[in-house]
Amino acid sequence: MRWFKRIALTLVAIVVLLLGIGLILPSTFKVQRSIDVSAAPDKIYPLIADPREWKKWSAWNARDPAMKIAYSGPPAGSGAKWTWESASEGKGEMTFTAAVPNQRVDYALYFPDFDMRSAGEMKLEPSGQGTRVTWTNQGDVGTNPINRYFAQAMDRLVGPDFETGLKNLKALAERSST
């Protein structure tokens, strides 16, 4: 019986310690990746400003070709929106909140399963003979200590998907600009 109490107290202490550490971890995250594309901004912009085009280059759509997608609002630019439901990628919605042709698209992301919101940007800047595309997403997971651990891992979890998506976008834009 004494060993049971020790094990129980040890487990409680570990949980309290982990929750305490979670409370002092930062609640914010930022994921950012860039790639140089040998294409003009006017060849890339239509691929990022129209949510229907994202399924051609996004890593998430490639992982689940059966993903259910619905579009609303204008076809491209500010106000364009898409929602998805997927067995492997979950539920979510992305709304383009601002768009400057051939320069950038800002978006708001929402994942209802986690009640998580974030904001992002796809930015196009001249670079050598082409365009530098920078994809950023950032947010705040709030006060939940478990979510704060998740925020610390966000770059490792989402960064590779950004890299894959940008490589696919590069290939698509360079193919269409020849």
Side-chain angles (χ1 to χ4, degrees):
M1 186 66 151
R2 185 177 286 233
W3 61 270
F4 179 74
K5 284 183 183 180
R6 284 185 185 171
I7 290 173
L9 286 174
T10 301
L11 289 175
V12 167
I14 290 171
V15 168
V16 168
L17 179 65
L18 290 174
L19 290 175
I21 291 170
L23 287 172
I24 62 173
L25 289 173
S27 63
T28 58
F29 67 88
K30 182 176 182 179
V31 179
Q32 185 174 62
R33 298 293 190 275
S34 297
I35 196 165
D36 289 320
V37 179
S38 297
D42 67 330
K43 299 295 182 190
I44 302 166
Y45 182 78
L47 299 172
I48 64 171
D50 180 347
R52 289 163 186 81
E53 295 295 318
W54 282 56
K55 65 183 172 188
K56 295 179 182 176
W57 56 267
S58 166
W60 302 298
N61 295 89
R63 277 201 296 263
D64 184 3
M67 181 182 290
K68 295 176 188 170
I69 300 173
Y71 302 97
S72 59
S78 186
K81 179 178 179 177
W82 60 304
T83 59
W84 62 89
E85 189 172 334
S86 164
S88 64
E89 306 307 302
K91 293 181 192 176
E93 64 183 52
M94 178 184 280
T95 305
F96 295 160
T97 57
V100 179
N102 303 326
Q103 292 181 26
R104 73 173 212 279
V105 173
D106 298 345
Y107 62 85
L109 262 178
Y110 177 58
F111 295 97
D113 293 338
F114 304 102
D115 192 31
M116 188 176 124
R117 297 177 188 281
S118 63
E121 174 186 62
M122 296 284 293
K123 187 182 207 178
L124 308 175
E125 300 173 293
S127 174
Q129 298 297 320
T131 305
R132 183 156 190 85
V133 180
T134 302
W135 189 357
T136 306
N137 185 261
Q138 55 193 354
D140 190 321
V141 297
T143 59
N144 183 317
I146 295 168
N147 288 349
R148 287 180 177 215
Y149 281 103
F150 183 63
Q152 301 314 299
M154 194 69 77
D155 190 73
R156 288 187 309 276
L157 294 170
V158 179
D161 290 340
F162 275 28
E163 292 165 10
T164 299
L166 287 170
K167 287 177 188 172
N168 294 341
L169 179 64
K170 173 183 172 77
L172 189 61
E174 289 177 351
R175 195 169 45 244
S176 69
S177 69
T178 57

